[in-house]
């Protein structure tokens, strides 16, 4: 027991206080050191460093796309320009070409583009491919010192489910927003803007895609373009779809070169789906054959009338390269990736007899001049 008159009565509390002070200071220093260094890239995870690197490099190439339409007042008849909608897009090359979705610019009287530096430009629509929900714009780009994607395109046919996927865009007007997820599925088919036609081989991702993200890039962990964010599944959470990069690269190249997408085919026109269905046939009916075309040279026949005016149905195409042809969509997609000089194996029915031929593919004109 301590004597209350002893000096040690005061020494012990002082010693305890000193120890507590230095102990707290030591712990505090550790805490402050930890949080102070948390913004240092040296303590970030490799996954985080990769995400930051991809975003920093790609974000300057992602743009705002403004759909501007003229509105006439019901009362005064004055015309006012209003912003009908906004979306995203990305710089394709240093000549000022920009890729976005067709539905982002659909119906626009004027299109404007805003870059990451805040500068806005008038944009000209070079060409569109509604069946791929794709449009190419062009601006008078003042600087060539900006990142572009034409030389950073991944082969979408080599994608694997589980790969990292990064989406950059302007959802709800919030510019340059990054979301991260995975490639959730491949080879999805989703309806395009054009009724009855699907976009095939779409990339499904769980990287969040919201209104305004449309037209923005979907990237892999190397910052390469793997798709263009296009749509979300209605009433779903975390199910988005992107037009595959192989389709983008092929169609954009055609639009820049020709001002429109180019359709390969064999020189024939087919009936609309509703007409083919009315005849209860399995396949699509050839309506007409272009004289001198590969289809003509192969002896294929279109629909005609006999001497008594009765309708004689043309050949009914059943398969192309072993794939069933049931409608316009199947036909369109059978030739979609073909180029001049390729060949296709076609099976068709004539007067109840099945005939198989091999036909060379040629360029027949703008996409839509059916095959």
């Amino acid at each position: 027991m301590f004597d209350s008159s002893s000096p040690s009565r005061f020494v012990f509390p002082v010693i305890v206080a000193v120890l507590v002070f230095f102990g707290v200071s030591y712990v505090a220093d550790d805490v402050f050191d930890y949080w102070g260094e948390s913004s240092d890239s040296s303590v970030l995870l490799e996954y985080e460093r990769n995400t930051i690197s991809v975003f920093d490099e790609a974000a300057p190439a992602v743009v705002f796309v403004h759909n501007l339409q003229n509105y006439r007042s019901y009362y005064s008849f004055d015309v006012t320009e209003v912003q009908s909608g906004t979306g995203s897009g990305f710089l394709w090359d240093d000549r000022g070409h920009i890729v976005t979705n067709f539905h982002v610019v659909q119906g626009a009287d004027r299109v404007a583009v805003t870059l990451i530096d805040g500068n806005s430009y008038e944009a000209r629509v070079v060409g569109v491919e509604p069946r791929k929900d794709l449009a190419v714009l062009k601006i008078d780009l003042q600087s060539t010192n900006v990142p572009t994607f034409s030389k950073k395109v991944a082969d979408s046919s080599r994608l694997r489910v589980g790969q990292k996927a990064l989406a950059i865009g302007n959802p709800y007007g919030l510019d340059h927003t990054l979301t991260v997820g995975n490639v959730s599925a491949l080879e999805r088919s989703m309806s395009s803007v054009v009724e009855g036609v699907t976009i095939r081989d779409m990339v499904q991702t769980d990287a969040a895609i919201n209104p305004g993200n449309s037209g923005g890039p979907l990237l892999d962990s190397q910052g390469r373009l793997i798709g263009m964010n296009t749509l979300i599944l209605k009433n779903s959470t975390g199910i988005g779809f992107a037009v595959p990069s192989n389709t983008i690269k092929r169609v954009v190249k055609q639009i820049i070169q020709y001002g429109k997408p180019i359709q390969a085919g064999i020189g024939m026109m087919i009936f609309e789906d509703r007409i083919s269905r009315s005849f209860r046939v399995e396949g699509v009916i050839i309506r007409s054959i272009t004289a001198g075309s590969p289809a003509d040279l192969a002896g294929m026949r279109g629909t005609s009338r006999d001497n008594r005016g009765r309708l004689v149905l043309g050949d009914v195409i059943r398969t192309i390269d072993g794939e069933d042809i049931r409608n316009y969509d199947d036909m369109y997609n059978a030739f979609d990736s073909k180029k001049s000089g390729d060949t296709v194996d076609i099976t068709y029915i004539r007067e109840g007899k099945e005939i198989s031929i091999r036909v060379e593919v040629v360029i027949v004109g703008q996409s839509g001049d059916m095959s």
Side-chain angles (χ1 to χ4, degrees):
M1 181 176 295
F2 289 105
D3 184 351
S4 60
S5 62
S6 172
S8 61
R9 173 188 174 199
F10 302 100
V11 173
F12 182 73
V14 170
I15 293 174
V16 171
V18 169
L19 291 175
V20 169
F21 172 79
F22 282 106
V24 170
S25 297
Y26 180 78
V27 171
D29 286 344
D30 278 354
V31 170
F32 291 135
D33 285 346
Y34 176 81
W35 289 110
E37 291 179 0
S38 65
S39 60
D40 188 337
S41 61
S42 64
V43 300
L44 296 175
L45 299 175
E46 179 59 34
Y47 183 91
E48 295 173 307
R49 287 198 294 270
N50 172 252
T51 301
I52 293 169
S53 174
V54 170
F55 177 78
D56 286 347
E57 184 174 346
V62 180
V63 304
F64 253 119
V65 179
H66 308 271
N67 183 321
L68 303 169
Q69 298 183 15
N70 295 329
Y71 170 75
R72 184 182 296 275
S73 171
Y74 179 80
Y75 299 101
S76 67
F77 298 104
D78 291 336
V79 176
T80 304
E81 185 178 73
V82 298
Q83 182 163 277
S84 178
T86 62
S88 305
F90 52 91
L91 285 164
W92 182 254
D93 56 36
D94 57 13
R95 291 183 293 165
H97 288 108
I98 291 170
V99 179
T100 187
N101 281 137
F102 168 72
H103 77 259
V104 169
V105 298
Q106 186 176 14
D109 293 302
R110 187 169 70 90
V111 178
V113 169
T114 304
L115 272 57
I116 196 170
D117 60 8
N119 290 322
S120 293
Y121 298 80
E122 287 280 331
R124 174 174 63 88
V125 178
V126 178
V128 300
E129 173 50 295
R131 275 170 290 205
K132 301 298 184 186
D133 201 0
L134 191 152
V136 177
L137 315 176
K138 191 174 190 305
I139 62 173
D140 183 16
L141 189 61
Q142 300 298 316
S143 172
T144 58
N145 189 29
V146 290
T148 59
F149 280 106
S150 62
K151 296 180 180 179
K152 293 199 67 175
V153 182
D155 181 354
S156 55
S157 69
R158 299 173 66 87
L159 289 175
R160 301 290 300 274
V161 173
Q163 280 187 234
K164 185 178 183 179
L166 304 93
I168 305 177
N170 309 302
Y172 300 106
L174 301 172
D175 68 324
H176 296 86
T177 298
L178 171 70
T179 55
V180 184
N182 303 293
V183 173
S184 304
L186 299 167
E187 300 181 359
R188 296 299 198 200
S189 294
M190 301 298 295
S191 297
S192 72
V193 177
V194 178
E195 185 178 356
V197 177
T198 58
I199 307 175
R200 302 192 179 184
D201 297 323
M202 294 193 80
V203 181
Q204 180 182 326
T205 180
D206 61 357
I209 298 175
N210 294 292
N213 269 117
S214 293
L218 186 68
L219 310 174
D220 66 9
S221 59
Q222 297 179 56
R224 300 178 303 176
L225 183 73
I226 61 175
M228 176 171 58
N229 305 315
T230 297
L231 58 90
I232 55 176
L233 197 62
K234 190 175 181 180
N235 299 323
S236 73
T237 302
I239 302 180
F241 299 92
V243 177
S245 56
N246 285 2
T247 297
I248 296 170
K249 186 175 183 178
R250 173 170 51 81
V251 176
V252 168
K253 181 179 179 181
Q254 293 174 357
I255 291 177
I256 291 175
Q257 184 173 354
Y258 302 107
K260 59 187 179 183
I262 299 301
Q263 175 71 53
I266 59 176
M268 63 182 178
M269 295 289 290
I270 64 173
F271 279 112
E272 296 176 6
D273 294 342
R274 62 183 179 82
I275 296 177
S276 292
R277 286 195 298 267
S278 69
F279 286 104
R280 300 182 182 277
V281 299
E282 293 185 14
V284 296
I285 305 170
I286 299 178
R287 179 176 181 176
S288 62
I289 298 289
T290 303
S293 67
D296 185 32
L297 298 176
M300 301 182 77
R301 296 180 187 173
T303 299
S304 61
R305 292 187 180 275
D306 63 15
N307 294 332
R308 302 175 67 175
R310 293 175 299 188
L311 192 68
V312 178
L313 291 183
D315 297 333
V316 179
I317 297 178
R318 297 290 299 277
T319 69
I320 296 179
D321 286 341
E323 297 293 328
D324 290 338
I325 303 299
R326 297 155 297 185
N327 49 40
Y328 174 89
D329 183 45
D330 291 338
M331 176 72 80
Y332 169 73
N333 281 286
F335 287 100
D336 181 45
S337 61
K338 302 297 182 183
K339 60 184 182 297
S340 182
D342 289 348
T343 59
V344 290
D345 293 315
I346 298 178
T347 299
Y348 62 90
I349 304 296
R350 178 187 296 171
E351 298 175 354
K353 181 181 179 181
E354 185 175 279
I355 302 172
S356 296
I357 58 173
R358 174 168 290 184
V359 188
E360 184 176 345
V361 173
V362 296
I363 299 300
V364 296
Q366 182 178 2
S367 180
D369 302 337
M370 190 64 242
S371 304

